[in-house]
Amino acid sequence: MAVTSEPRAQEGGAAPRHRSATRSLLRLWPYVRPVRVRLFGAAGVAVVASCMGLVIPLVLKWMVDGPVAHRDPGGVWLGGALLLALGTAEAALFGLRRWLVGRPLASVEAAMRADLYRHLQRLPVSFHDRWASGQLLSRATTDLMLLRMFLAFPLTFLVVNGVTILAGFAILLSQEWTLGLVLVVPAVPLVILCSLFEKRYATVARAVQDQTGDLTTVVEEGVLGVRIVKGFGRHRSQARAFRTLSQQVRSTELHKARLLATLWALIMTLPELAIGAALVLGTMRVADGDLSAGTLVAFLSTALTLRWPVESLGFLLAMSQDAATATDRYFDVMDAEPATAADRPRPARPLRRGENGEAGEGGEDSQDRGGGLRFEGVEFAYADAPPEEPPVLRGVDLHIRPGETMALVGATGSGKTTLTALVPRLQEITRGRITLDGRDITALPREELRALVAVAFEEPTLFSATAGENVLMGATDAGREELLRALKVAQADFVHALPEGTDTEVGEQGLSLSGGQRQRLALARAVVGSPRFLVLDDPLSALDVHTEALVEAALRQVLAATTALVVAHRPSTVLLADRVALLSEGRITAVGTHQRLLRESAEYRSLMSGQEREEGESSP
């Protein structure tokens, strides 16, 4: 099993060279706006609480120069009571701040996660083909958790500590400006250090979060593919791949920690040296009688109170960079455009009589010219395909009349699955147009389009839900009666023998069921809503001959009341259809009945004879 990761070209795998953390974080404002009152209120409460801490040194100055110097016990008790009240009020206000932000920020995280999931559902299949699911998962979990933590703590305290530092230095300079200048001097190198740190840390923070996404992908693939891993004895190679990525994440995390440790050491050392110098100079001035002891005590107490706001800058800046990186990664996905037509559809042109061999089937009446399912000049090329590479589909013209079943046959790689994916707009056509009963599918709301068209793929996907819930996903208004009918059509009556019948959980990806059982449930999901248009991509490939015959017999009744396009590899599936279209190298090269194409198309005879030989060899 190969270890895959999403292309960095699509994801933006590193921090932009001139990225502004502030500009990135401002993109969160639409989510923060609904809770701004409580968030700003919490910041205001925290500012008041922090400033209360700056009042404490002033009380100490009064006590030392007043009651202590004059040996007044009553004044000392009064000062102690005042200090206790200030400390209690400060603690209560910080508790109030945490209460104010707790619930609102949890709702912000929930709203962002809901928007991300909703957007992922609207993005084209080509987007999901390029991105590893582990990368998307890490954005929906780890990155959003980092953003909630940033909004709850670093964002508030960047403001609070900034205000506290400014107010504190104003008090220091007002008390003794010469000593205050001693403490201001380290501010210049600190600003330079923080600027350099921000640029280097941003790159490392992005790298570690991308690598964590890759690691998540490996874990997810190892769990979902555990049968393949065990079946081929690849557990050691998978463990090595995981260990390699883990070591890579560890190495980057250590680099990140070294950057933060270096910055923090400098941020802590410079203020401590400044306080030491102020202490020596202040003591000398007190000894000379130029400064009162109370003023020195208040000055040093204020300086020590400012230690945490200054020393926390490194920690807060690091968390801010992590949050900015998480924001960039979140909006990498949110900025991706939802599925839209690649080009403006070109004007429809009428099909000429006899085009694509249809005249041999009696041509078309004017009354059904616009009805049914029609492909007109359809081309498709993958967005990331090289310019010189020809389109996967080119110039496809095909008309499936109302109530008709058309089998689509072609060699491997001819574009059959791609063609079927265009009808429900899982992929967007590059040129041309597709119409349902004369209506361009690009002009239909997606909800209406998906209600008109039901699909079943060769590789069925089931969800961690009950068997009945998996089937009823095919129709929002279907009930118990429709469920039972769909199970009968798909010959999925085995569901009733499960421990809890249709209420039995089938497990993740339906791995508790056999391949044929999963395929039958997927087919039941496609027919449960009695859709007007049905697209089936070889939905019977995993069935044994006996079950296939039973499903085909029941399916004929469904196909008689719908317009269907069925990808077929077996002659038995082809015989379900009224007509057959041969797809060769991205073009429809022949259309007609099974018998007619056997007579007139050597390529079709080759495809069918190969299938018939395979079925004959496998028959008892």
Side-chain angles (χ1 to χ4, degrees), residues 312-564:
S312 67
L313 285 176
F315 169 70
L316 295 175
L317 286 174
M319 290 194 70
S320 300
Q321 284 297 332
D322 287 337
T325 300
T327 302
D328 289 336
R329 282 167 49 87
Y330 176 81
F331 283 103
D332 283 342
V333 178
M334 296 300 292
D335 289 342
E337 291 294 329
T340 55
D343 290 325
R344 296 283 300 176
R346 69 184 186 185
R349 62 178 181 82
L351 293 182
R352 297 184 297 274
R353 186 175 180 82
E355 187 173 33
N356 284 338
E358 295 188 60
E361 293 305 305
E364 300 179 13
D365 299 327
S366 60
Q367 62 208 16
D368 67 18
R369 182 175 294 276
L373 171 60
R374 186 188 288 272
F375 298 80
E376 298 182 355
V378 170
E379 290 190 7
F380 174 78
Y382 289 102
D384 55 354
E388 66 277 4
E389 186 174 304
V392 178
L393 299 171
R394 45 194 185 277
V396 172
D397 291 295
L398 186 63
H399 183 204
I400 306 170
R401 303 174 184 126
E404 181 182 35
T405 298
M406 177 77 75
L408 186 63
V409 176
T412 301
S414 59
K416 301 185 298 298
T417 297
T418 300
L419 185 64
T420 58
L422 298 179
V423 181
R425 294 183 67 188
L426 301 180
Q427 299 282 6
E428 296 289 350
I429 61 175
T430 306
R431 185 172 289 110
R433 73 172 189 165
I434 302 173
T435 61
L436 301 177
D437 289 337
R439 302 172 66 188
D440 194 320
I441 62 171
T442 59
L444 289 171
R446 290 186 182 275
E447 294 77 8
E448 183 178 355
L449 175 64
R450 304 284 162 79
L452 289 172
V453 181
V455 294
F457 301 105
E458 182 178 7
E459 294 294 333
T461 298
L462 299 181
F463 298 87
S464 298
T466 67
E469 288 170 341
N470 270 283
V471 173
L472 291 175
M473 287 184 69
T476 56
D477 56 350
R480 181 72 179 178
E481 183 179 344
E482 289 80 8
L483 170 62
L484 296 177
R485 181 187 63 82
L487 292 174
K488 185 175 181 181
V489 168
Q491 295 297 304
D493 293 328
F494 68 88
V495 169
H496 302 302
L498 296 176
E500 298 180 38
T502 57
D503 294 327
T504 302
E505 294 277 345
V506 298
E508 188 175 20
Q509 297 289 328
L511 293 179
S512 61
L513 305 175
S514 69
Q517 288 174 329
R518 294 199 299 272
Q519 202 166 57
R520 278 180 277 171
L521 282 181
L523 179 59
R525 180 168 57 203
V527 303
V528 68
S530 301
R532 187 183 303 178
F533 297 91
L534 191 58
V535 177
L536 305 177
D537 184 4
D538 199 20
L540 311 179
S541 60
L543 305 184
D544 60 79
V545 176
H546 175 69
T547 304
E548 180 186 9
L550 294 175
V551 174
E552 288 173 350
L555 193 56
R556 288 182 189 278
Q557 302 174 15
V558 175
L559 294 176
T562 189
T563 303

Side-chain angles (χ1 to χ4, degrees), residues 196-218:
L196 295 174
F197 166 81
E198 180 184 13
K199 296 176 181 178
R200 297 182 64 184
Y201 191 87
T203 302
V204 179
R206 179 69 192 231
V208 75
Q209 285 172 250
D210 287 341
Q211 290 167 5
T212 301
D214 291 337
L215 193 65
T216 304
T217 299
V218 173

Side-chain angles (χ1 to χ4, degrees), residues 229-299:
V229 173
K230 289 182 175 291
F232 286 91
R234 303 294 294 177
H235 55 280
R236 288 189 177 86
S237 63
Q238 281 299 102
R240 282 196 298 272
F242 179 83
R243 190 160 50 248
T244 299
L245 277 177
S246 296
Q247 290 294 332
Q248 188 178 15
V249 173
R250 175 180 177 273
S251 176
T252 311
E253 284 280 14
L254 288 175
H255 184 197
K256 180 177 163 184
R258 283 193 295 271
L259 283 174
L260 184 58
T262 301
L263 177 70
W264 209 331
L266 291 171
I267 285 179
M268 293 182 69
T269 301
L270 290 177
E272 295 292 344
L273 292 176
I275 291 175
L279 174 61
V280 172
L281 182 59
T283 303
M284 292 173 61
R285 294 190 60 188
V286 169
D288 293 339
D290 295 335
L291 190 70
S292 70
T295 301
L296 179 61
V297 169
F299 184 92

